[in-house]
Amino acid sequence: MSVPLTLLGLLEREPSHGYDLKRDYDAFFGRGKQLPFGQVYATLGRLSRDGKIVPGDAEPGDGPDRRRYAITATGRDEVDTWLAEAVEPEPHLQTVLFAKVTLALMLGKPAEAYLDTQRAAHIRRMQELTEIKRTGPLVDVLLADHALFHLEADLRWIDLTSARLAELAEAVGTR
């Protein structure tokens, strides 16, 4: 997730205070990992320095003075470019799952047990996500769908690899 570009996109909707940007980021994009206030303001400082946003005058409020930030034409251009670019397809050819299984085999450790443990962890997470799909708001449902599809692919890989462990052990045999 690109925090600077996401904040720019939120500012393209309307000029906002840092507090409002954090609230919107957390509500839509921060599932499980909310954005720290320090990161919001550090990012706004860099975006301002780079000419992508401009801070407004300080406004008095209940707490410290607040500034409303507005996106510039440069910032809008960057958001447009970012939105038009495809996200690099994942997963990459090298993954932690693959590395653990391969190393377990190379070290003569129980790779099948690791795969069983990983399968159980995936199934538990899928159950949690399925509950979110059943009870959550649409944003959470769509995020849960995305995660479930990835976990399903991992499970297929775990099953395929379990069936081919003997072949993989031979292919990566110790020298």
Side-chain angles (χ1 to χ4, degrees), residues 14-173:
E14 63 184 349
S16 301
H17 297 107
Y19 176 84
D20 297 324
L21 290 168
K22 179 194 174 355
R23 182 199 62 221
D24 290 348
Y25 182 97
D26 290 349
F28 292 106
F29 311 108
R31 300 298 197 268
K33 187 176 180 189
Q34 295 190 341
L35 195 59
F37 276 108
Q39 186 176 0
V40 171
Y41 291 104
T43 301
L44 291 172
R46 285 190 302 278
L47 292 170
S48 179
R49 177 199 68 206
D50 296 343
K52 297 172 185 171
I53 64 172
V54 291
D57 293 332
E59 302 170 7
D62 292 339
D65 288 348
R66 301 177 350 158
R67 296 186 184 277
R68 189 178 307 271
Y69 295 86
I71 194 167
T72 64
T74 301
R76 269 189 214 87
D77 290 344
E78 187 160 329
V79 170
D80 288 345
T81 299
W82 180 58
L83 292 176
E85 293 172 348
V87 174
E88 185 174 338
E90 292 183 30
H92 300 286
L93 287 177
Q94 198 63 290
T95 69
V96 174
L97 284 172
F98 176 78
K100 283 186 168 189
V101 170
T102 302
L103 282 171
L105 291 171
M106 290 175 153
L107 300 172
K109 298 188 186 260
E112 183 66 41
Y114 166 68
L115 288 170
D116 289 343
T117 300
Q118 192 62 53
R119 182 182 296 108
H122 272 58
I123 290 170
R124 277 191 306 277
R125 182 63 179 143
M126 291 174 82
Q127 290 167 338
E128 293 166 1
L129 292 166
T130 300
E131 180 62 18
I132 290 170
K133 283 183 57 157
R134 195 177 69 70
T135 61
L138 180 60
V139 170
D140 290 348
V141 168
L142 292 172
L143 288 168
D145 281 337
H146 186 267
L148 281 165
F149 292 142
H150 281 274
L151 290 170
E152 288 171 358
D154 284 350
L155 279 177
R156 286 194 311 271
W157 182 87
I158 288 168
D159 290 342
L160 177 68
T161 302
S162 291
R164 296 171 130 178
L165 271 180
E167 291 174 72
L168 182 58
E170 188 176 309
V172 300

